[in-house]
Amino acid sequence: MPVATQASLKGLTPEQLEETGCRLCLNNTYHLGLRPGQDVLAAVGGAHKLQGWHHNILTDSGGFQMVSLLKLAKVTEEGVEFLSPHDGTPMLLTPEHSIGLQNTIGSDIIMQLDDVLVTTSPDAGRMREAMERSVRWLDRCIAAHRNPGTQNLFCIVQGGLDLDMRRECCAAMMARDTPGIAIGGLSGGEAKADYCRVVACCTELFPELKPRYVMGIGYPEDLVVSVALGADMFDCVWPTRTARFGNAVTRRGVLNLRNARYASDFGPVEDGCACACCRPRDQQGGLGVTRAFVHHNAAKETVAAHLLTIHNVHYQLDLMRRVREAVVADEYPAFLRRFFADLYPDSR
Ligand code: GUN
């Protein structure tokens, strides 16, 4: 899922986002709750109408954003206390309030409010408290949810890098039988081996037929490995954020088009890519956007950020489409070998 935090994917129109192949994007409850706020969201008829988006939306519940963005957020059993970034007034996001906002937003997938710690946190006692509180908050979210027939509430498994705690959390949350399941508390700088152990440990305990979402993951290598470990869904700001720094995500790795070597490179951003940035714009197969054009504009003009955002979102979604095809064809091991051989051609 591309991340459109404030109900827009930075730099793209909804139509351009649709053209990348996106059918599910992510909005944030915390940001939309602050601005435009629940009254405006109710008046306009929800986030789909607000952003002119006819496809699906997933909203994150808000607690993670507050804890990661605001130094002054404090978690209690009641909810997450924070000071409004607009005027400093004290505010409280409870599980009931988060679900109420998400009901008004009308997103197709809504997330429980969870108590999130960074995985590298050494405090096992606090980690246990956060895991157990997340289960209690799930119950409060389920009780508060007004539209279970149209909005799918996902639980979020916590427990840090402790596999026993993760198993305990999985068992408690599976008993609540939500339509989908997320793994949270990762993507916080943990070692890849630890990340893989946690994802594998959780997916083994999940029911076969429910979507499994690992939150905050977006590097292509992490996506393909996580699928091998049994995960289905991901979100990350990285592909769109890195586009704004002049970076193109390609099969051969990330290219920084601000680099002087691209000043007279007249090929497309990625050869063979079918996105609106890369594909040739005339019948003869010439005259598309070139790396040199992006390089020329990357420092000051926003057009380079727009073009690379289109390319990067298309790349990620096309990667996941190829992943799905390989899984369905039962050819995933060969797909993985090809993927890594393309990315690291000199490592054989
Ligand atoms: N985004 C990345 N990680 C998390 C998490 O653990 N919880 C929530 N709610 N959002 C996240």
Side-chain angles (χ1 to χ4, degrees):
M1 290 170 278
V3 178
T5 300
Q6 317 251 14
S8 79
L9 199 84
K10 284 194 171 73
L12 298 199
T13 64
E15 208 172 0
Q16 286 174 314
L17 181 59
E18 182 178 43
E19 227 223 304
T20 65
C22 177
R23 294 296 176 267
L24 172 60
C25 72
L26 189 145
N27 288 174
N28 264 308
T29 303
Y30 160 71
H31 293 86
L32 295 186
L34 281 175
R35 213 165 41 95
Q38 193 158 14
D39 292 347
V40 172
L41 285 162
V44 74
H48 295 84
K49 295 224 171 104
L50 178 72
Q51 62 207 292
W53 178 248
H54 309 295
H55 303 293
N56 297 292
I57 298 173
L58 178 149
T59 37
D60 198 358
S61 48
F64 173 77
Q65 284 69 37
M66 284 191 303
V67 173
S68 58
L69 295 176
L70 302 178
K71 303 236 167 350
L72 295 173
K74 185 177 152 220
V75 181
T76 67
E77 190 60 25
E78 195 44 25
V80 187
E81 291 171 8
F82 64 105
L83 300 179
S84 159
H86 294 321
D87 56 13
T89 49
M91 301 178 80
L92 176 68
L93 184 71
T94 63
E96 292 77 16
H97 186 206
S98 173
I99 295 299
L101 275 168
Q102 295 185 79
N103 284 163
T104 304
I105 288 169
S107 33
D108 305 275
I109 299 177
I110 68 177
M111 303 304 297
Q112 76 156 108
L113 190 70
D114 52 342
D115 185 357
V116 192
L117 299 181
V118 288
T119 40
T120 43
S121 168
D123 185 343
R126 175 68 185 102
M127 190 61 84
R128 169 159 291 282
E129 179 187 52
M131 181 277 274
E132 291 176 351
R133 177 172 289 146
S134 294
V135 178
R136 291 192 294 275
W137 282 3
L138 174 59
D139 284 334
R140 287 170 58 185
C141 288
I142 292 171
H145 189 13
R146 294 285 154 260
N147 310 321
T150 51
Q151 293 183 280
N152 295 288
L153 170 64
F154 282 28
C155 63
I156 307 176
V157 173
Q158 295 291 347
L161 302 179
D162 181 325
L163 299 188
D164 285 335
M165 231 190 279
R166 287 280 180 180
R167 286 190 195 100
E168 212 181 303
C169 191
C170 283
M173 287 185 167
M174 293 316 95
R176 271 77 176 172
D177 199 25
T178 53
I181 306 156
I183 304 174
L186 294 174
S187 70
E190 68 281 351
K192 295 286 182 205
D194 287 330
Y195 168 84
C196 290
R197 269 192 282 275
V198 170
V199 174
C201 157
C202 293
T203 55
E204 212 168 88
L205 300 171
F206 292 164
E208 190 74 3
L209 292 178
K210 287 189 181 181
R212 300 110 170 261
Y213 165 25
V214 190
M215 307 189 80
I217 296 302
Y219 295 140
E221 301 91 310
D222 292 345
L223 298 179
V224 299
V225 168
S226 301
V227 169
L229 297 173
D232 304 309
M233 297 170 61
F234 312 92
D235 77 282
C236 194
V237 295
W238 174 75
T240 44
R241 182 174 289 163
T242 206
R244 300 196 292 278
F245 291 106
N247 290 312
V249 187
T250 79
R251 280 187 193 217
R252 306 243 167 223
V254 176
L255 312 178
N256 189 326
L257 294 175
R258 289 183 177 173
N259 194 306
R261 72 211 274 205
Y262 299 110
S264 29
D265 184 334
F266 304 117
V269 169
E270 181 165 25
D271 254 334
C273 172
C275 83
C277 166
C278 293
R279 67 176 174 241
R281 306 204 50 193
D282 70 2
Q283 300 303 319
Q284 284 74 47
L287 274 186
V289 167
T290 62
R291 290 175 173 181
F293 176 76
V294 175
H295 170 84
H296 173 67
N297 286 289
K300 280 202 192 122
E301 301 296 333
T302 58
V303 67
H306 300 316
L307 288 165
L308 289 178
T309 301
I310 288 173
H311 172 77
N312 287 357
V313 172
H314 180 277
Y315 175 86
Q316 298 282 91
L317 296 175
D318 187 60
L319 172 63
M320 293 308 290
R321 182 187 55 75
R322 291 185 284 124
V323 160
R324 281 194 293 280
E325 284 172 5
V327 169
V328 169
D330 208 7
E331 288 168 356
Y332 202 58
F335 174 90
L336 272 183
R337 276 192 292 275
R338 265 197 321 275
F339 173 87
F340 282 106
D342 283 347
L343 199 54
Y344 300 107
D346 302 329
S347 67
R348 271 185 262 185

PDB file of all heavy atoms in Angstrom, residues 25-56:
ATOM      1  N   CYS A  25      -4.945   2.153  -0.699  1.00  0.00           N
ATOM      2  CA  CYS A  25      -3.905   3.032  -0.162  1.00  0.00           C
ATOM      3  C   CYS A  25      -4.183   3.308   1.306  1.00  0.00           C
ATOM      4  O   CYS A  25      -5.258   2.980   1.825  1.00  0.00           O
ATOM      5  CB  CYS A  25      -3.794   4.325  -0.968  1.00  0.00           C
ATOM      6  SG  CYS A  25      -5.173   5.447  -0.731  1.00  0.00           S
ATOM      7  N   LEU A  26      -3.213   3.862   1.977  1.00  0.00           N
ATOM      8  CA  LEU A  26      -3.299   4.029   3.430  1.00  0.00           C
ATOM      9  C   LEU A  26      -3.473   5.503   3.803  1.00  0.00           C
ATOM     10  O   LEU A  26      -2.810   6.366   3.255  1.00  0.00           O
ATOM     11  CB  LEU A  26      -2.020   3.466   4.046  1.00  0.00           C
ATOM     12  CG  LEU A  26      -1.968   3.346   5.567  1.00  0.00           C
ATOM     13  CD1 LEU A  26      -1.187   2.109   5.965  1.00  0.00           C
ATOM     14  CD2 LEU A  26      -1.328   4.571   6.191  1.00  0.00           C
ATOM     15  N   ASN A  27      -4.411   5.753   4.691  1.00  0.00           N
ATOM     16  CA  ASN A  27      -4.573   7.082   5.305  1.00  0.00           C
ATOM     17  C   ASN A  27      -4.331   6.941   6.805  1.00  0.00           C
ATOM     18  O   ASN A  27      -4.365   5.834   7.343  1.00  0.00           O
ATOM     19  CB  ASN A  27      -5.988   7.625   5.134  1.00  0.00           C
ATOM     20  CG  ASN A  27      -6.354   8.062   3.719  1.00  0.00           C
ATOM     21  OD1 ASN A  27      -7.502   8.405   3.485  1.00  0.00           O
ATOM     22  ND2 ASN A  27      -5.427   8.041   2.776  1.00  0.00           N
ATOM     23  N   ASN A  28      -4.132   8.076   7.479  1.00  0.00           N
ATOM     24  CA  ASN A  28      -3.907   8.019   8.921  1.00  0.00           C
ATOM     25  C   ASN A  28      -5.009   8.679   9.728  1.00  0.00           C
ATOM     26  O   ASN A  28      -5.340   9.839   9.509  1.00  0.00           O
ATOM     27  CB  ASN A  28      -2.570   8.667   9.259  1.00  0.00           C
ATOM     28  CG  ASN A  28      -1.521   7.596   9.366  1.00  0.00           C
ATOM     29  OD1 ASN A  28      -1.728   6.640  10.101  1.00  0.00           O
ATOM     30  ND2 ASN A  28      -0.449   7.724   8.628  1.00  0.00           N
ATOM     31  N   THR A  29      -5.528   7.926  10.691  1.00  0.00           N
ATOM     32  CA  THR A  29      -6.625   8.401  11.533  1.00  0.00           C
ATOM     33  C   THR A  29      -6.213   9.628  12.333  1.00  0.00           C
ATOM     34  O   THR A  29      -6.963  10.600  12.447  1.00  0.00           O
ATOM     35  CB  THR A  29      -7.035   7.274  12.500  1.00  0.00           C
ATOM     36  OG1 THR A  29      -7.384   6.141  11.714  1.00  0.00           O
ATOM     37  CG2 THR A  29      -8.214   7.683  13.365  1.00  0.00           C
ATOM     38  N   TYR A  30      -5.007   9.581  12.877  1.00  0.00           N
ATOM     39  CA  TYR A  30      -4.522  10.689  13.715  1.00  0.00           C
ATOM     40  C   TYR A  30      -4.500  11.996  12.915  1.00  0.00           C
ATOM     41  O   TYR A  30      -5.009  13.024  13.362  1.00  0.00           O
ATOM     42  CB  TYR A  30      -3.133  10.332  14.257  1.00  0.00           C
ATOM     43  CG  TYR A  30      -2.316  11.501  14.721  1.00  0.00           C
ATOM     44  CD1 TYR A  30      -2.650  12.183  15.888  1.00  0.00           C
ATOM     45  CD2 TYR A  30      -1.217  11.938  13.988  1.00  0.00           C
ATOM     46  CE1 TYR A  30      -1.896  13.264  16.313  1.00  0.00           C
ATOM     47  CE2 TYR A  30      -0.460  13.017  14.402  1.00  0.00           C
ATOM     48  CZ  TYR A  30      -0.799  13.677  15.565  1.00  0.00           C
ATOM     49  OH  TYR A  30      -0.064  14.744  15.974  1.00  0.00           O
ATOM     50  N   HIS A  31      -3.928  11.941  11.701  1.00  0.00           N
ATOM     51  CA  HIS A  31      -3.824  13.162  10.900  1.00  0.00           C
ATOM     52  C   HIS A  31      -5.200  13.650  10.447  1.00  0.00           C
ATOM     53  O   HIS A  31      -5.502  14.841  10.537  1.00  0.00           O
ATOM     54  CB  HIS A  31      -2.930  12.921   9.679  1.00  0.00           C
ATOM     55  CG  HIS A  31      -1.501  12.666  10.040  1.00  0.00           C
ATOM     56  ND1 HIS A  31      -1.035  11.407  10.359  1.00  0.00           N
ATOM     57  CD2 HIS A  31      -0.445  13.505  10.149  1.00  0.00           C
ATOM     58  CE1 HIS A  31       0.262  11.489  10.646  1.00  0.00           C
ATOM     59  NE2 HIS A  31       0.639  12.746  10.527  1.00  0.00           N
ATOM     60  N   LEU A  32      -6.043  12.731   9.965  1.00  0.00           N
ATOM     61  CA  LEU A  32      -7.361  13.154   9.472  1.00  0.00           C
ATOM     62  C   LEU A  32      -8.258  13.616  10.616  1.00  0.00           C
ATOM     63  O   LEU A  32      -9.092  14.505  10.445  1.00  0.00           O
ATOM     64  CB  LEU A  32      -8.039  12.028   8.692  1.00  0.00           C
ATOM     65  CG  LEU A  32      -7.343  11.614   7.392  1.00  0.00           C
ATOM     66  CD1 LEU A  32      -8.182  10.600   6.638  1.00  0.00           C
ATOM     67  CD2 LEU A  32      -7.080  12.827   6.512  1.00  0.00           C
ATOM     68  N   GLY A  33      -8.055  13.018  11.795  1.00  0.00           N
ATOM     69  CA  GLY A  33      -8.843  13.429  12.959  1.00  0.00           C
ATOM     70  C   GLY A  33      -8.523  14.863  13.372  1.00  0.00           C
ATOM     71  O   GLY A  33      -9.381  15.601  13.846  1.00  0.00           O
ATOM     72  N   LEU A  34      -7.239  15.235  13.207  1.00  0.00           N
ATOM     73  CA  LEU A  34      -6.849  16.615  13.538  1.00  0.00           C
ATOM     74  C   LEU A  34      -7.299  17.578  12.448  1.00  0.00           C
ATOM     75  O   LEU A  34      -7.778  18.662  12.718  1.00  0.00           O
ATOM     76  CB  LEU A  34      -5.320  16.712  13.672  1.00  0.00           C
ATOM     77  CG  LEU A  34      -4.687  16.231  14.975  1.00  0.00           C
ATOM     78  CD1 LEU A  34      -3.170  16.293  14.852  1.00  0.00           C
ATOM     79  CD2 LEU A  34      -5.149  17.074  16.158  1.00  0.00           C
ATOM     80  N   ARG A  35      -7.122  17.152  11.211  1.00  0.00           N
ATOM     81  CA  ARG A  35      -7.423  18.001  10.067  1.00  0.00           C
ATOM     82  C   ARG A  35      -7.786  17.132   8.868  1.00  0.00           C
ATOM     83  O   ARG A  35      -6.965  16.287   8.531  1.00  0.00           O
ATOM     84  CB  ARG A  35      -6.189  18.864   9.724  1.00  0.00           C
ATOM     85  CG  ARG A  35      -6.504  20.229   9.190  1.00  0.00           C
ATOM     86  CD  ARG A  35      -5.291  21.140   9.217  1.00  0.00           C
ATOM     87  NE  ARG A  35      -4.069  20.444   8.810  1.00  0.00           N
ATOM     88  CZ  ARG A  35      -3.590  20.448   7.566  1.00  0.00           C
ATOM     89  NH1 ARG A  35      -4.162  21.117   6.631  1.00  0.00           N
ATOM     90  NH2 ARG A  35      -2.495  19.784   7.271  1.00  0.00           N
ATOM     91  N   PRO A  36      -8.963  17.205   8.299  1.00  0.00           N
ATOM     92  CA  PRO A  36      -9.991  18.232   8.495  1.00  0.00           C
ATOM     93  C   PRO A  36     -10.840  18.055   9.746  1.00  0.00           C
ATOM     94  O   PRO A  36     -11.641  18.931  10.053  1.00  0.00           O
ATOM     95  CB  PRO A  36     -10.854  18.091   7.249  1.00  0.00           C
ATOM     96  CG  PRO A  36     -10.759  16.655   6.879  1.00  0.00           C
ATOM     97  CD  PRO A  36      -9.363  16.252   7.241  1.00  0.00           C
ATOM     98  N   GLY A  37     -10.705  16.941  10.464  1.00  0.00           N
ATOM     99  CA  GLY A  37     -11.508  16.737  11.682  1.00  0.00           C
ATOM    100  C   GLY A  37     -12.780  15.961  11.392  1.00  0.00           C
ATOM    101  O   GLY A  37     -13.228  15.855  10.247  1.00  0.00           O
ATOM    102  N   GLN A  38     -13.343  15.393  12.473  1.00  0.00           N
ATOM    103  CA  GLN A  38     -14.463  14.451  12.331  1.00  0.00           C
ATOM    104  C   GLN A  38     -15.710  15.110  11.724  1.00  0.00           C
ATOM    105  O   GLN A  38     -16.420  14.479  10.928  1.00  0.00           O
ATOM    106  CB  GLN A  38     -14.803  13.834  13.696  1.00  0.00           C
ATOM    107  CG  GLN A  38     -15.718  12.624  13.580  1.00  0.00           C
ATOM    108  CD  GLN A  38     -15.619  11.716  14.791  1.00  0.00           C
ATOM    109  OE1 GLN A  38     -15.077  12.097  15.828  1.00  0.00           O
ATOM    110  NE2 GLN A  38     -16.146  10.505  14.671  1.00  0.00           N
ATOM    111  N   ASP A  39     -15.975  16.379  12.067  1.00  0.00           N
ATOM    112  CA  ASP A  39     -17.203  17.022  11.565  1.00  0.00           C
ATOM    113  C   ASP A  39     -17.162  17.160  10.043  1.00  0.00           C
ATOM    114  O   ASP A  39     -18.145  16.877   9.350  1.00  0.00           O
ATOM    115  CB  ASP A  39     -17.387  18.404  12.211  1.00  0.00           C
ATOM    116  CG  ASP A  39     -17.697  18.261  13.704  1.00  0.00           C
ATOM    117  OD1 ASP A  39     -18.010  17.129  14.137  1.00  0.00           O
ATOM    118  OD2 ASP A  39     -17.606  19.284  14.417  1.00  0.00           O
ATOM    119  N   VAL A  40     -16.015  17.615   9.531  1.00  0.00           N
ATOM    120  CA  VAL A  40     -15.891  17.779   8.073  1.00  0.00           C
ATOM    121  C   VAL A  40     -15.956  16.412   7.394  1.00  0.00           C
ATOM    122  O   VAL A  40     -16.614  16.234   6.360  1.00  0.00           O
ATOM    123  CB  VAL A  40     -14.581  18.518   7.704  1.00  0.00           C
ATOM    124  CG1 VAL A  40     -14.358  18.527   6.196  1.00  0.00           C
ATOM    125  CG2 VAL A  40     -14.597  19.934   8.247  1.00  0.00           C
ATOM    126  N   LEU A  41     -15.290  15.419   8.003  1.00  0.00           N
ATOM    127  CA  LEU A  41     -15.300  14.071   7.411  1.00  0.00           C
ATOM    128  C   LEU A  41     -16.731  13.527   7.360  1.00  0.00           C
ATOM    129  O   LEU A  41     -17.135  12.925   6.356  1.00  0.00           O
ATOM    130  CB  LEU A  41     -14.410  13.125   8.218  1.00  0.00           C
ATOM    131  CG  LEU A  41     -12.909  13.324   8.004  1.00  0.00           C
ATOM    132  CD1 LEU A  41     -12.112  12.691   9.141  1.00  0.00           C
ATOM    133  CD2 LEU A  41     -12.481  12.726   6.656  1.00  0.00           C
ATOM    134  N   ALA A  42     -17.488  13.771   8.423  1.00  0.00           N
ATOM    135  CA  ALA A  42     -18.881  13.301   8.444  1.00  0.00           C
ATOM    136  C   ALA A  42     -19.702  14.049   7.401  1.00  0.00           C
ATOM    137  O   ALA A  42     -20.508  13.456   6.666  1.00  0.00           O
ATOM    138  CB  ALA A  42     -19.475  13.493   9.836  1.00  0.00           C
ATOM    139  N   ALA A  43     -19.467  15.354   7.292  1.00  0.00           N
ATOM    140  CA  ALA A  43     -20.263  16.169   6.361  1.00  0.00           C
ATOM    141  C   ALA A  43     -19.996  15.775   4.905  1.00  0.00           C
ATOM    142  O   ALA A  43     -20.919  15.707   4.086  1.00  0.00           O
ATOM    143  CB  ALA A  43     -19.959  17.649   6.579  1.00  0.00           C
ATOM    144  N   VAL A  44     -18.732  15.479   4.592  1.00  0.00           N
ATOM    145  CA  VAL A  44     -18.403  15.143   3.188  1.00  0.00           C
ATOM    146  C   VAL A  44     -18.759  13.687   2.873  1.00  0.00           C
ATOM    147  O   VAL A  44     -18.918  13.314   1.711  1.00  0.00           O
ATOM    148  CB  VAL A  44     -16.920  15.452   2.881  1.00  0.00           C
ATOM    149  CG1 VAL A  44     -15.997  14.434   3.500  1.00  0.00           C
ATOM    150  CG2 VAL A  44     -16.665  15.509   1.377  1.00  0.00           C
ATOM    151  N   GLY A  45     -18.918  12.862   3.906  1.00  0.00           N
ATOM    152  CA  GLY A  45     -19.289  11.458   3.680  1.00  0.00           C
ATOM    153  C   GLY A  45     -18.096  10.523   3.675  1.00  0.00           C
ATOM    154  O   GLY A  45     -18.152   9.452   3.059  1.00  0.00           O
ATOM    155  N   GLY A  46     -17.009  10.925   4.345  1.00  0.00           N
ATOM    156  CA  GLY A  46     -15.880  10.000   4.525  1.00  0.00           C
ATOM    157  C   GLY A  46     -14.692  10.299   3.636  1.00  0.00           C
ATOM    158  O   GLY A  46     -14.717  11.209   2.796  1.00  0.00           O
ATOM    159  N   ALA A  47     -13.637   9.527   3.843  1.00  0.00           N
ATOM    160  CA  ALA A  47     -12.346   9.808   3.187  1.00  0.00           C
ATOM    161  C   ALA A  47     -12.350   9.499   1.685  1.00  0.00           C
ATOM    162  O   ALA A  47     -11.620  10.121   0.923  1.00  0.00           O
ATOM    163  CB  ALA A  47     -11.230   9.031   3.881  1.00  0.00           C
ATOM    164  N   HIS A  48     -13.165   8.521   1.248  1.00  0.00           N
ATOM    165  CA  HIS A  48     -13.215   8.252  -0.195  1.00  0.00           C
ATOM    166  C   HIS A  48     -13.700   9.504  -0.929  1.00  0.00           C
ATOM    167  O   HIS A  48     -13.138   9.906  -1.951  1.00  0.00           O
ATOM    168  CB  HIS A  48     -14.170   7.098  -0.516  1.00  0.00           C
ATOM    169  CG  HIS A  48     -13.750   5.775   0.036  1.00  0.00           C
ATOM    170  ND1 HIS A  48     -14.018   5.387   1.323  1.00  0.00           N
ATOM    171  CD2 HIS A  48     -13.075   4.736  -0.531  1.00  0.00           C
ATOM    172  CE1 HIS A  48     -13.538   4.168   1.526  1.00  0.00           C
ATOM    173  NE2 HIS A  48     -12.955   3.750   0.421  1.00  0.00           N
ATOM    174  N   LYS A  49     -14.753  10.109  -0.383  1.00  0.00           N
ATOM    175  CA  LYS A  49     -15.322  11.306  -1.039  1.00  0.00           C
ATOM    176  C   LYS A  49     -14.364  12.480  -0.900  1.00  0.00           C
ATOM    177  O   LYS A  49     -14.186  13.248  -1.848  1.00  0.00           O
ATOM    178  CB  LYS A  49     -16.673  11.637  -0.414  1.00  0.00           C
ATOM    179  CG  LYS A  49     -17.710  10.542  -0.668  1.00  0.00           C
ATOM    180  CD  LYS A  49     -19.047  11.130  -1.071  1.00  0.00           C
ATOM    181  CE  LYS A  49     -19.987  10.027  -1.532  1.00  0.00           C
ATOM    182  NZ  LYS A  49     -21.001   9.705  -0.531  1.00  0.00           N
ATOM    183  N   LEU A  50     -13.756  12.621   0.282  1.00  0.00           N
ATOM    184  CA  LEU A  50     -12.835  13.740   0.512  1.00  0.00           C
ATOM    185  C   LEU A  50     -11.737  13.768  -0.546  1.00  0.00           C
ATOM    186  O   LEU A  50     -11.360  14.819  -1.047  1.00  0.00           O
ATOM    187  CB  LEU A  50     -12.209  13.625   1.909  1.00  0.00           C
ATOM    188  CG  LEU A  50     -11.183  14.692   2.283  1.00  0.00           C
ATOM    189  CD1 LEU A  50     -11.852  16.041   2.533  1.00  0.00           C
ATOM    190  CD2 LEU A  50     -10.387  14.283   3.520  1.00  0.00           C
ATOM    191  N   GLN A  51     -11.198  12.563  -0.893  1.00  0.00           N
ATOM    192  CA  GLN A  51     -10.067  12.547  -1.822  1.00  0.00           C
ATOM    193  C   GLN A  51     -10.424  12.057  -3.219  1.00  0.00           C
ATOM    194  O   GLN A  51      -9.532  11.859  -4.049  1.00  0.00           O
ATOM    195  CB  GLN A  51      -8.891  11.745  -1.241  1.00  0.00           C
ATOM    196  CG  GLN A  51      -9.154  10.274  -0.965  1.00  0.00           C
ATOM    197  CD  GLN A  51      -8.268   9.712   0.143  1.00  0.00           C
ATOM    198  OE1 GLN A  51      -7.079   9.585  -0.018  1.00  0.00           O
ATOM    199  NE2 GLN A  51      -8.867   9.358   1.267  1.00  0.00           N
ATOM    200  N   GLY A  52     -11.709  11.859  -3.496  1.00  0.00           N
ATOM    201  CA  GLY A  52     -12.109  11.429  -4.837  1.00  0.00           C
ATOM    202  C   GLY A  52     -11.478  10.102  -5.212  1.00  0.00           C
ATOM    203  O   GLY A  52     -10.982   9.917  -6.322  1.00  0.00           O
ATOM    204  N   TRP A  53     -11.501   9.171  -4.262  1.00  0.00           N
ATOM    205  CA  TRP A  53     -10.823   7.874  -4.457  1.00  0.00           C
ATOM    206  C   TRP A  53     -11.869   6.768  -4.415  1.00  0.00           C
ATOM    207  O   TRP A  53     -12.532   6.580  -3.392  1.00  0.00           O
ATOM    208  CB  TRP A  53      -9.767   7.684  -3.356  1.00  0.00           C
ATOM    209  CG  TRP A  53      -9.020   6.394  -3.403  1.00  0.00           C
ATOM    210  CD1 TRP A  53      -9.096   5.377  -2.499  1.00  0.00           C
ATOM    211  CD2 TRP A  53      -8.071   5.979  -4.397  1.00  0.00           C
ATOM    212  NE1 TRP A  53      -8.256   4.365  -2.867  1.00  0.00           N
ATOM    213  CE2 TRP A  53      -7.616   4.692  -4.032  1.00  0.00           C
ATOM    214  CE3 TRP A  53      -7.576   6.565  -5.581  1.00  0.00           C
ATOM    215  CZ2 TRP A  53      -6.673   3.986  -4.792  1.00  0.00           C
ATOM    216  CZ3 TRP A  53      -6.638   5.856  -6.330  1.00  0.00           C
ATOM    217  CH2 TRP A  53      -6.200   4.605  -5.932  1.00  0.00           C
ATOM    218  N   HIS A  54     -12.024   6.067  -5.553  1.00  0.00           N
ATOM    219  CA  HIS A  54     -13.109   5.085  -5.651  1.00  0.00           C
ATOM    220  C   HIS A  54     -12.666   3.689  -5.241  1.00  0.00           C
ATOM    221  O   HIS A  54     -13.452   2.762  -5.278  1.00  0.00           O
ATOM    222  CB  HIS A  54     -13.663   5.063  -7.079  1.00  0.00           C
ATOM    223  CG  HIS A  54     -14.010   6.436  -7.567  1.00  0.00           C
ATOM    224  ND1 HIS A  54     -15.009   7.185  -6.981  1.00  0.00           N
ATOM    225  CD2 HIS A  54     -13.457   7.234  -8.524  1.00  0.00           C
ATOM    226  CE1 HIS A  54     -15.067   8.359  -7.582  1.00  0.00           C
ATOM    227  NE2 HIS A  54     -14.131   8.422  -8.500  1.00  0.00           N
ATOM    228  N   HIS A  55     -11.392   3.563  -4.921  1.00  0.00           N
ATOM    229  CA  HIS A  55     -10.892   2.237  -4.548  1.00  0.00           C
ATOM    230  C   HIS A  55     -10.784   2.149  -3.023  1.00  0.00           C
ATOM    231  O   HIS A  55     -11.381   2.937  -2.313  1.00  0.00           O
ATOM    232  CB  HIS A  55      -9.569   1.968  -5.264  1.00  0.00           C
ATOM    233  CG  HIS A  55      -9.708   2.073  -6.758  1.00  0.00           C
ATOM    234  ND1 HIS A  55     -10.453   1.173  -7.492  1.00  0.00           N
ATOM    235  CD2 HIS A  55      -9.255   2.997  -7.636  1.00  0.00           C
ATOM    236  CE1 HIS A  55     -10.419   1.540  -8.771  1.00  0.00           C
ATOM    237  NE2 HIS A  55      -9.708   2.632  -8.887  1.00  0.00           N
ATOM    238  N   ASN A  56      -9.991   1.199  -2.558  1.00  0.00           N
ATOM    239  CA  ASN A  56      -9.996   0.911  -1.115  1.00  0.00           C
ATOM    240  C   ASN A  56      -9.023   1.791  -0.327  1.00  0.00           C
ATOM    241  O   ASN A  56      -8.006   2.240  -0.854  1.00  0.00           O
ATOM    242  CB  ASN A  56      -9.652  -0.560  -0.898  1.00  0.00           C
ATOM    243  CG  ASN A  56     -10.696  -1.465  -1.519  1.00  0.00           C
ATOM    244  OD1 ASN A  56     -11.832  -1.516  -1.073  1.00  0.00           O
ATOM    245  ND2 ASN A  56     -10.314  -2.153  -2.583  1.00  0.00           N
TER     246      ASN A  56
END
